[in-house]
Amino acid sequence: MTFEELNIIPPILKALAQENYTSPTPIQEQAIPPVLAGRDLLGCAQTGTGKTAAFAVPILQLLSKGQGSKPGKRPIRSLILTPTRELAIQIQDNLEAYGRHTSLRSCVIFGGVSQKPQEAALKQGVDILVATPGRLIDLMNQGFIDLQHLQIFVLDEADRMLDMGFIHDVKRIVAKIPSKKQTLLFSATMPPEIAQMVKTILVNPVKVEITPVSSTVDKINQSLYFVDKENKQKQLIHLLEDKSIASVLVFTRTKHGADRVVRDLSRAGISAQAIHGNKSQNARQSALGNFKSGATRVLVATDIAARGIDIDELSHVINFNLPNIPETYVHRIGRTGRAGLSGTAISFCDIEEKPYLKDIEKVIGKTIPVVTDHPYPMMITTKPAEPVVKSRQPSRPSRNKPGSAQPKQAKPASKPAGSSGGKAGSPSRPSANRAKVRGKS
Ligand code: AMP
């Protein structure tokens, strides 16, 4: 399946190609067509599945098609409500990236920072508003936001909204937006309150569920090495001294991490190549070709880059970093042991990854056997004060304060928020490499 086959319009196709998205993820494949057809959607999927593009791409497409040249301030036609500042910024980044060749404008608002730049951005007029609930209500109450012309409403991470005590704010917002609109609701889990909300706000929704297959896990020979972060490279090289490991797929958390592993393995005389989003399509194809032909023994990949890889007879997967989403672990190791072959999955776990291990073992329903006899046993057994690996779960603010401001973890931004429109104030997103969505009001 390609994005062309999903009938994505050329300006967005061009932007997706620039992002190095070669094919849609399963949730994109399933969600984009019904959303483009105007249907309500219930998406059961976690962050990391490509869910943002699953709603952002069709929204950009629908809105750019319906974009009139009416004079006056452009109305907000889509609202994306998300629980945390981090998610809001990430969604805005993605909208800017995917919409860079359209003339749509988007803007992000969240609490914990001055509202002035946000007011200024809103005054310029935006097509798509990304918001956290508390700040949205504040600005609505002050008359800066008019949602009368809303056509598409996205409720992102609904279950987390509930966890964080925002459900009443969400209900207040829903009560103020037009009842005739298209609604897309995403939630990784379906607690009763959310199931109830689904019934009341979605009309005949298409349900898209991205569930991991955990049954394959049982066939795979799993093992775990507790090893300090600093020693992971050495541990990997040590394991690869075993020549019976003919070809192995190594997963790292980041693109830089993947490059680093390749460099160190190459220095140790082990042929390795990386595939990740920063590599060109040609470079990725060639790395994959070399791996399949056996010319390269080790392929190092990030999760998304590995997604499209079709390798049938993979015997070994090594998790250089444990993923923070347990289902990702299941997907990774599920790449071995296919078609009746035996598979081996080896994982390295440092002190900061121990909480992930707990989550993984809960999901797979068993304890991964630990290898204790190895040259680099874990020496660091207390967590550093500032963990380098960010946990996905935010700290829980008080549930007793519906209507209160933003989540506790939404610390003041180093810079104020802004819109992506050319004149609408200076944007504040951390990823300055994104092109801006340009547009005229
Ligand atoms: P999300 O679940 O939306 O947070 O996406 C997870 C990561 O996957 C983000 O870094 C996206 O940029 C990336 N991503 C989303 N869709 C694709 C795709 N079709 N191909 C490659 N990367 C993607």
Side-chain angles (χ1 to χ4, degrees), residues 360-399:
I360 290 167
E361 291 185 332
K362 213 159 109 191
V363 165
I364 62 172
K366 62 176 176 188
T367 308
I368 306 172
V370 177
V371 178
T372 47
D373 184 18
H374 64 91
Y376 304 103
M378 186 186 262
M379 306 299 276
I380 302 169
T381 52
T382 49
K383 255 188 172 183
E386 265 305 315
V388 179
V389 182
K390 274 196 218 155
S391 163
R392 189 181 159 268
Q393 286 299 326
S395 57
R396 279 178 185 228
S398 162
R399 270 178 181 254

Side-chain angles (χ1 to χ4, degrees), residues 3 20-25 28 46-53 90 94 98 304 307 434:
F3 283 108
N20 280 328
Y21 290 8
T22 46
S23 58
T25 64
Q28 291 160 7
Q46 311 228 13
T47 297
T49 53
K51 118 179 118 68
T52 315
Q90 193 188 316
N94 287 348
Y98 311 146
I304 283 283
R307 201 179 37 77
R434 301 286 202 205

Side-chain angles (χ1 to χ4, degrees), residues 223 225 235-250 270-271 291 294 296-299 313-318 336 344-346 348:
S223 60
Y225 289 74
Q235 179 68 51
L236 180 62
I237 292 168
H238 173 72
L239 284 178
L240 294 173
E241 278 165 9
D242 176 357
K243 294 284 185 294
S244 70
I245 304 179
S247 73
V248 55
L249 182 58
V250 174
I270 298 166
S271 61
F291 185 60
T296 307
R297 187 172 164 217
V298 183
L299 190 66
E313 292 170 25
L314 191 62
S315 61
H316 286 76
V317 161
I318 297 183
T336 71
T344 301
I346 299 167
F348 296 169

